[in-house]
Amino acid sequence: MFRIGKEEIDAVARVIESKQLFKCNDALKETENCEKDMRERFGLDHAVLMTSGYAALESALIGMGIGPGDEVIVPAYTYIATAMAVVGAGAMPVIAEVDETLMIDPEDIENKITERTKAIIPVHMMGYPCNMKAIMEIAKKHNLFVLEDACQANGAKFDGKLLGTIGDAAALSFNYFKIISAGGEGGALLTDNKEIFEKALIYHDSSAVAYFGDQMRDFSTEPFCGREYRVGEVTSAILRQQFKKLDGIVADLRKNKALLKEALGEGFDYPPCNDDDGDSAIAITFRFDTVEKCKDFADKVGAVIPGFTGKHVYNDWKPILEKRGAAHPLMDPFKMECNKNVEYSEDMCQKSLEIMKRCAHIFMDSDWTEDDINALAEKIKEAVK
Ligand SMILES: *Cc1c(COP(=O)(O)O)cnc(C)c1O
């Protein structure tokens, strides 16, 4: 899937030749320019590049003023980093069910809201959008922040809007497994909210902002001790080139997915999608009426069943379920008196587990030829005979 090559090599060479690899410089300004490109692309006031998607999630939560005693609702289907970022901010992740779309179930969000709830993190898994209309309505009604985890959905949309632009803030990831990469690792925070931006900027770069004061013109937030999640110019230079390719990649993924569905014809069941036109098409997902049929299919075609991946489902988030929130007990949010009311168990989201064991993903490739697509269609048809 990765379209990475000459443009990225040339961009990295230019950075190295400039001998200015730190993000604050007067040479190429790759980080500054990449953030500017992103603000334009997403139509938002603020974009901050960081070392990872996790860093962006955690910084956004800090920016929202979330901490010990607060609860943040996360879905049963997401990478553990989403829940870890909540613990990183000192708050408690509360796990909500997913519905047949495999995304967070708005109805269960309502069930999970308590007087401690401060935010919802809808996670757009596998490039599929969450039901942002329902989620924003719930958030408004209960006065909650919405932090979109768009780490797997860069380039996808809901109701014509790019994912990451609908909530109060969003996190993107550019690690090597995402649709575009910033040289292996990287992430970004997006927001229109000045207060979230100020706190997140200080938090992700807390020693440098104190020295490079020009980043903090017109700030109303005083510097505080945070983390060091800065990116360097090499990362930003690669990412800037990658962003130029993103729309082309998404267009080709969508085209290939449509061709594959056409070649498959009738007789397949796909999970419902909250916005069929917004899906970034990084995967095609099949739904079965029994776990056995799904497993048999996945074995034959090499598909991934989320209910059995052991990585993206809450019942495998060992450090969370077993409440190990930090190396030092006094720093562990799970051991803080104000956080003592959250409980977890491996079978707490039965409905999600049941759905996730009957769905199988096959990753799409933007560079498939028509022959590749037809061969895959034949293999899939053979598997369900
Ligand atoms: C990859 C991913 C993250 C974390 O991104 P990193 O850049 O690896 O920290 C968070 N949430 C989801 C849904 C992801 O897929």
Side-chain angles (χ1 to χ4, degrees), residues 48-168:
V48 185
L49 289 181
M50 299 195 191
T51 47
S52 67
Y54 171 93
L57 286 166
E58 193 194 63
S59 303
L61 291 166
I62 297 293
M64 291 170 176
I66 286 167
D70 296 337
E71 293 175 4
V72 176
I73 299 175
V74 302
Y77 180 34
T78 180
Y79 187 49
I80 187 172
T82 313
M84 277 188 175
V86 177
V87 179
M92 290 289 100
V94 170
I95 306 168
E97 301 270 14
V98 297
D99 61 22
E100 288 286 335
T101 65
L102 288 168
M103 305 302 118
I104 195 164
D105 180 357
E107 234 180 87
D108 202 44
I109 292 177
E110 295 236 66
N111 298 335
K112 298 286 157 67
I113 292 173
T114 72
E115 68 278 8
R116 292 165 178 265
T117 310
K118 289 284 155 57
I120 308 164
I121 309 187
V123 184
H124 310 295
M125 290 296 280
M126 307 294 287
Y128 294 118
C130 293
N131 184 348
M132 290 308 291
K133 183 166 182 280
I135 293 166
M136 294 310 289
E137 278 166 13
I138 294 167
K140 200 167 168 204
K141 185 167 130 200
H142 297 274
N143 196 22
L144 306 174
F145 284 113
V146 174
L147 169 55
E148 287 180 77
D149 181 336
C151 289
Q152 296 192 10
N154 193 1
K157 291 181 178 176
F158 177 82
D159 196 17
K161 299 187 195 86
L162 277 172
L163 297 182
T165 64
I166 304 167
D168 299 282

Side-chain angles (χ1 to χ4, degrees), residues 23 51 85 92 100 140 173 189 217 223 234 248 270 304 382:
K23 78 165 186 174
T51 47
M92 290 289 100
E100 288 286 335
K140 200 167 168 204
S173 169
L189 165 82
R217 270 183 312 247
V234 170
Y270 306 106
V304 175
E382 194 58 37

Side-chain angles (χ1 to χ4, degrees), residues 12 15 21 30-31 34 49-51 174 181-187 230-242:
V12 170
V15 172
L21 276 63
E30 290 286 354
T31 306
C34 189
L49 289 181
M50 299 195 191
T51 47
F174 313 113
S181 179
E185 299 284 0
R230 283 187 307 274
V231 294
E233 289 286 272
V234 170
T235 296
S236 305
I238 295 172
L239 187 61
R240 234 180 130 201
Q241 298 305 317
Q242 286 274 287

Side-chain angles (χ1 to χ4, degrees), residues 19 46 82 113 126 129 182 189 217 227 235 258 270 290 293 309 324 345 365-366 370:
K19 300 199 189 299
H46 308 287
T82 313
I113 292 173
M126 307 294 287
L189 165 82
R217 270 183 312 247
R227 303 287 185 267
T235 296
Y270 306 106
T290 68
K293 279 187 205 165
T309 55
R324 286 187 299 275
S345 70
D365 193 310
S366 50
E370 261 190 75

